[in-house]
Amino acid sequence: MGDVERPELLPDCDVPAGRRQPDELMTTCLVRLADESLGDNWRTSALQACMVRGGAALAAASFIVQAPGPWHEDLQHILRLSGVGVDRPAYSSAEYTVGLCYVAGTKGLPAGLRHRAVDALVHRANDAGYAEARHLLPKNGWTWLADAVREGWALWTAQLFSQDESAPLTTRMRVGLALAEHEHPAGYVPTALERLAAHPGAASKDRLALAVAVGQRAPKDATGLLRCVASDSIVQAGHRMQAIELLDEIDPVKAEEMRALQTRLPSVRAARDQQRDAAARAKQREVARRDRETPAAVTGRLDSKVEELLNDLRCRGSADWLADHLDDHIAENDWNQVAQDIAEICGLVRDEEIESSIRLVEVLTQIRYGDEASSTSGSSDFETRGDLGFPRLTREELEEYARAEAERSWTLWRGLVEKHGWDDDRLYELDRQADEVDRHVADSICQKAGDHLRALQQYLVWELWPALVDAAERRDYGAAHNHLATARLLGDEAEHAEALWRSPTLGNYSFDPRTMSWPRDFWLVMEQWRRGTPDGNGQG
């Protein structure tokens, strides 16, 4: 049997639990106000002091002088003598809730007043109000609920108490019996009664008594409870037969079903053994749960989860699988496979799960280490040397490279012509040289763009991604997020580089040799070459 946890806040009340109790002065005033042995002047002074204090103190005093009970007439007399007005209260709804907590938790007040305050608090805040009330009253001080139900009040409080597994079972059964005797609307059986009638830990006679009490008041409403008692092998055989006899008066068909069931039920001893085994298993599960919730177990699970996330980050950017055949695909000029390799790179760096994993690692380490979770004490070599920029290649740079290669090829050809002379057909030789230069330039820029793609993949898997994982391991999450942002920019660059790698085959890098400086004889031949095509004999 555990304790009900006290709520930190109550509905529509922002006063924390530690402040929902009166100070010493207010405690004295409330006790004096309700003390019939004191003179009227003491009690009126106490009420006036609560009025001067206002807020929750006035709310508590107002509840006391208006609460029904044997003290009501006497307190109304004190109210008239004091001149304090409670018809138009000068306190808020939250202050009234705190005032109820004052009354319920003040030990010197009459028990009946405290019980009335508890019931008002439960009606006002439901489950949270009940949890607060369980904290304010003694754990074993709830037997009054049975009498309150028979008097016609505290019904909702009684139902919540009867369902509370942390409360003493004998008291719950006593309160449940009072609820069973109470005149409820036809067809309505409180859930608390159904649970108590089926409770394996309750005595057989008490479970039967609940069903009988309901049956005496509303026979048809007791059908389910009587069947529950009659079909449970833990209930003593004599009590089961009594339940069947009562059921026979209400529903003979159901009663006959219960009689037939008796032959198939295990003995009470066997049922008790099964119950003990189930209780032992439940206890073992509870012990295992508590073991899982020990600080060492929790920190172990946190460390394990963080390591799992870091391993996932490390593997996803591993050189062993991320576009690992890009070099071969570029060499084979396999457009489709290269496109798939680049898609793998972009899919990794743009995956929102990567950022979510980094943030989850950050949150888990914050839970694990508290304020020390974010550490920036150690910097990796990657950051220290400032090598945060990945390789880049623009179209303009590639065009400049193509021009330089073309000029170099034409210059080399000119040197050969100057040394060995022209062929017989100069214009045909120029055609042949132009084709050769175009092929060389296309191959060169394709090679350069391919090398750039290789460099990006190598940079990502060997430098940038390991730096990201290393930053996350060192709990430097700012650096990890920066590396991820850099990786996403690298993905954009990889897509751009793929387009550059494809472009040479589309003839985007043509070169006119006449833009170079040539000797006069070369220039004249080139002009003739550009103006027309050679004739059949190779002459212009």
Side-chain angles (χ1 to χ4, degrees), residues 56-57 120 292 371 475 514:
R292 290 194 302 270
D371 294 338
R475 306 199 296 275
R514 293 177 301 170

Side-chain angles (χ1 to χ4, degrees), residues 41 57 60 109-110 168 183 215 220 239 245 249 289 299 341 398 414 440 460 466 473 503 505 525 533:
N41 59 329
L109 290 174
E183 289 291 339
K220 290 189 176 181
H239 295 147
E245 291 174 1
E249 300 175 2
R289 184 188 64 80
T299 55
D341 292 333
L398 196 58
R414 191 184 81 175
H440 171 72
L460 175 62
E473 287 178 335
S503 60
T505 61
V525 176
T533 57

